Amino acid sequence: ANGNSELAKSSRSSLRACLAAAADSSEIVVPEEMTAIIAENQEKLDSSGVIDDVTKTYPENLVPLYDAVQAGDSNPITTENGQPGWTLIYGSASDVSEVSSFYQEYLKDQTDYAVTQTDGSTKISAVVSGWNLSITVSPNNPERTGLDTKSDITVLISQV
């Protein structure tokens, strides 16, 4: 029984730390070149009514949602090495190539920028202002996601 009690305390402590870090998401610095791309694409980045239903702590200023119509899971997380982060799954009304193109343009000038393609999915990753970003854009499978959208986007953000 003691093991479970310690585990529960550890989990609560991790959750508190994660939620405290998540509360600071507004302090993430977004580089100017990324802010400019957000401004150019503003009409496709209005996620009002989508993100509010998911979580108020998600750092949308760092990874905006592209043509979002429906949000699935979103959670603040603590990585294996104890760093704070977020996960988010959302559906877009735009197809995979359009969504992938936006995120590639958005992240192309950042540290450790990489794009990999597998089985119709595109994974775009980079490090921005001390945060690892990984965005996977896939054709939507409504049976798996529960979302009625053209593409399915999974975002993973974790502090370096």
Side-chain angles (χ1 to χ4, degrees), residues 21-118:
D24 294 338
S25 67
S26 62
E27 296 175 17
I28 295 171
V29 177
V30 179
E32 274 183 45
E33 62 272 19
M34 291 171 64
T35 305
I37 292 166
I38 289 173
E40 290 167 16
N41 290 276
Q42 198 58 56
E43 68 186 43
K44 290 277 192 169
L45 301 178
D46 176 16
S47 61
S48 55
V50 176
I51 194 70
D52 298 343
D53 296 341
V54 180
T55 176
K56 299 231 184 274
T57 64
Y58 174 77
E60 194 175 3
N61 58 328
L62 183 60
V63 182
L65 309 187
Y66 188 84
D67 206 9
V69 290
Q70 205 172 356
D73 266 348
S74 177
N75 299 292
I77 61 167
T78 301
T79 63
E80 289 176 12
N81 59 2
Q83 297 291 3
W86 292 267
T87 61
L88 172 70
I89 297 172
Y90 77 93
S92 174
S94 296
D95 63 27
V96 171
S97 63
E98 184 178 342
V99 177
S100 297
S101 293
F102 167 75
Y103 286 119
Q104 288 176 52
E105 178 70 18
Y106 183 63
L107 295 175
K108 70 179 182 186
D109 296 325
Q110 304 309 310
T111 308
D112 297 337
Y113 171 74
V115 177
T116 52
Q117 296 193 328
T118 323

